[in-house]
Amino acid sequence: MMKPLLLAATLLAVAPLSYSQGQVTLICQPACSTATVNANDLSELVTNPVLPAGIDWRAAQLSTPLSDAHQQQRQQQLVAKLATLADQLRAQGDYLQAQRINVLHQRIAGLKVVGAYPLSLDPDVVRLKPEFSPKLAGDYRLYISTVPQRDLNLWNSSRTTVAWVAGQQTSAYVDVDQQQPGIDADTVTVIAPDGTTETVATGYWNRRYHEPQPGSQIWLNLQTSALPQGYQTLNQDIIHLLIQRTVAP
């Protein structure tokens, strides 16, 4: 999470000098009863009585039109990079890995991503800690959902989602998938609904106890040693984009 002073400066930097408060467009799943709200600071925004009840604040995201456009540009660049990689692998005769990258290319292309700021929008956190309630000025977008996600999203797997089971370890969800060539057999990256990430040891020799939160995403890391030169940061590039994934329409 950003430090409070840096966060406040970042949120205000997007505002023209003529703006005295934040003008926030609501993007809701399902639809909200109102399209926009005004707020002087973050606390006033997240406690606004016009917001629907039962918001899943873990997955709520605050962005600006400019930050959304920036992340969507990064998405387009990554989609093009994956398409090029699939062609290279196919030309090298690695058809299995090329097919995996092609499927990944299609899923990444279909994502809805936003330029969310890395901050908690939980009203209890924001109200009790004034340093986490920066002033707002300018245009923002608040992505919220009242339908908490429970299924786990899997990436680099033959399955796109699996049902979350209380008490089940992360390794149990990915054991079969990690036996595939081109997939890191020792670790996966778990992305919680609030965007925090954790590298989880899931190999036979290094496995540790870990349970993912409901609604998490699990990225099965690619073996970078199996990729052509120039793609060594591919795991990090994709994880960054998955953090910015939104469930709101």
Side-chain angles (χ1 to χ4, degrees), residues 11-249:
L11 290 176
L12 289 174
V14 302
L17 295 178
S18 58
Y19 280 69
S20 60
Q21 63 179 179
Q23 300 178 3
V24 186
T25 299
L26 302 181
I27 302 170
C28 309
Q29 174 66 31
C32 287
S33 58
T34 187
T36 60
V37 297
N38 294 330
N40 292 301
D41 57 32
L42 196 58
S43 178
E44 188 176 323
L45 171 61
V46 299
T47 59
N48 194 305
V50 305
L51 295 180
I55 293 173
D56 182 4
W57 288 110
R58 302 173 310 154
Q61 296 162 305
L62 182 69
S63 69
T64 67
L66 185 61
S67 65
D68 283 353
H70 175 67
Q71 288 301 327
Q72 287 155 13
Q73 182 181 36
R74 289 188 65 162
Q75 178 186 18
Q76 293 170 2
Q77 293 169 345
L78 181 56
V79 166
K81 188 174 185 177
L82 289 169
T84 301
L85 175 58
D87 288 342
Q88 286 184 243
L89 291 168
R90 198 174 295 110
Q92 294 172 4
D94 192 347
Y95 299 108
L96 181 62
Q97 185 76 321
Q99 177 60 23
R100 176 180 292 113
I101 296 300
N102 189 53
V103 170
L104 183 60
H105 162 267
Q106 294 174 20
R107 290 191 68 190
I108 293 293
L111 280 182
K112 175 66 180 293
V113 299
V114 302
Y117 290 105
L119 75 169
S120 173
L121 298 178
D122 186 329
D124 290 335
V125 173
V126 175
R127 286 188 299 105
L128 296 176
K129 296 183 177 181
E131 66 269 26
F132 290 114
S133 180
K135 297 293 184 183
L136 299 177
D139 292 324
Y140 300 92
R141 293 170 176 171
L142 178 63
Y143 294 83
I144 51 179
S145 173
T146 57
V147 186
Q149 301 293 305
R150 294 188 63 82
D151 287 349
L152 303 175
N153 281 270
L154 297 184
W155 297 88
N156 270 344
S157 167
S158 58
R159 303 161 294 165
T160 56
T161 59
V162 292
W164 177 81
V165 179
Q168 184 160 298
Q169 294 190 54
T170 299
S171 57
Y173 294 108
V174 300
D175 186 51
V176 174
D177 299 291
Q178 286 191 291
Q179 298 175 27
Q180 300 177 25
I183 298 296
D184 185 338
D186 296 328
T187 64
V188 298
T189 301
V190 178
I191 305 169
D194 66 358
T196 57
T197 64
E198 185 174 3
T199 300
V200 178
T202 53
Y204 176 78
W205 63 275
N206 68 339
R207 184 173 302 174
R208 69 177 177 85
Y209 189 88
H210 180 273
E211 295 180 28
Q213 297 179 36
S216 293
Q217 303 180 80
I218 301 179
W219 167 252
L220 285 95
N221 296 303
L222 292 163
Q223 276 185 335
T224 53
S225 60
L227 297 175
Q229 190 173 4
Y231 293 92
Q232 301 309 301
T233 65
L234 190 57
N235 283 310
Q236 296 93 314
D237 294 342
I238 294 173
I239 290 167
H240 173 84
L241 200 68
L242 295 181
I243 292 170
Q244 301 294 335
R245 171 179 173 265
T246 184
V247 297

